[in-house]
Amino acid sequence: KEAELAFTVEALASEKSELTLLRSQQGESDQTSQQFQAHIASLNEKIESSNLAQDALREQLKDLEAKLEKASQDEISTQAELSRITKELEEKKQQLEDQQAESSTSLQQQQTEMDQREDRFAEIHAQLSSLQK
């Protein structure tokens, strides 16, 4: 759109230049002069309007670029947060696995101790039985 507007501005400027040349060639007729002046004023208004439209487009472009930058920063923040949460979950999972392994080892030790106590109890019971006979 900027290229289109620039082309329009150039075309309008060229047309203004041609009209000025025609005016000098035709003489200083008051009626002709007034017509050319009105036309030149109209062209100047069109050029000004075109310049304002270009400025508005530039502002819209700046706004869109700012929104894109913010969206990019938000995405980076979201990715960082996701990464932090994932790391935390992995740490908690490892802690749980370590705790489960520790509990399993402790249960095995307790079972071994219980088996040893039962064996010792059976031995003592056998000794007592043999003493009673």
Side-chain angles (χ1 to χ4, degrees):
K1 288 202 174 203
E2 271 195 55
E4 233 179 86
L5 289 174
F7 177 78
T8 303
V9 169
E10 281 185 41
L12 292 173
S14 175
E15 190 174 338
K16 178 181 174 182
S17 178
E18 288 175 27
L19 288 174
T20 303
L21 180 60
L22 286 174
R23 187 177 128 213
S24 67
Q25 290 174 347
Q26 290 182 351
E28 295 293 325
S29 161
D30 285 345
Q31 185 180 10
T32 305
S33 178
Q34 289 173 356
Q35 289 173 347
F36 282 131
Q37 288 175 1
H39 192 64
I40 288 171
S42 172
L43 291 174
N44 284 335
E45 287 176 16
K46 289 178 182 176
I47 289 171
E48 182 62 27
S49 175
S50 175
N51 287 340
L52 291 174
Q54 283 183 1
D55 291 344
L57 286 172
R58 284 187 192 102
E59 286 302 313
Q60 289 174 359
L61 182 60
K62 283 180 187 176
D63 290 345
L64 289 173
E65 287 172 342
K67 287 177 182 178
L68 179 62
E69 179 63 26
K70 183 178 182 331
S72 178
Q73 291 300 322
D74 289 348
E75 181 181 353
I76 290 170
S77 294
T78 301
Q79 289 294 334
E81 181 69 7
L82 183 58
S83 179
R84 184 191 67 74
I85 290 169
T86 301
K87 183 179 178 184
E88 189 176 326
L89 283 172
E90 287 171 358
E91 289 172 358
K92 297 293 182 188
K93 181 182 175 186
Q94 186 60 49
Q95 288 175 358
L96 179 62
E97 288 173 358
D98 292 347
Q99 197 174 32
Q100 286 175 336
E102 195 175 298
S103 293
S104 178
T105 302
S106 176
L107 284 173
Q108 286 176 351
Q109 287 175 344
Q110 289 175 1
Q111 186 63 44
T112 302
E113 288 175 8
M114 290 292 289
D115 291 346
Q116 289 173 347
R117 286 182 185 158
E118 285 178 7
D119 291 346
R120 180 71 180 138
F121 179 77
E123 286 176 20
I124 293 172
H125 185 67
Q127 288 176 355
L128 283 175
S129 291
S130 71
L131 288 176
Q132 287 177 352
K133 291 183 180 181

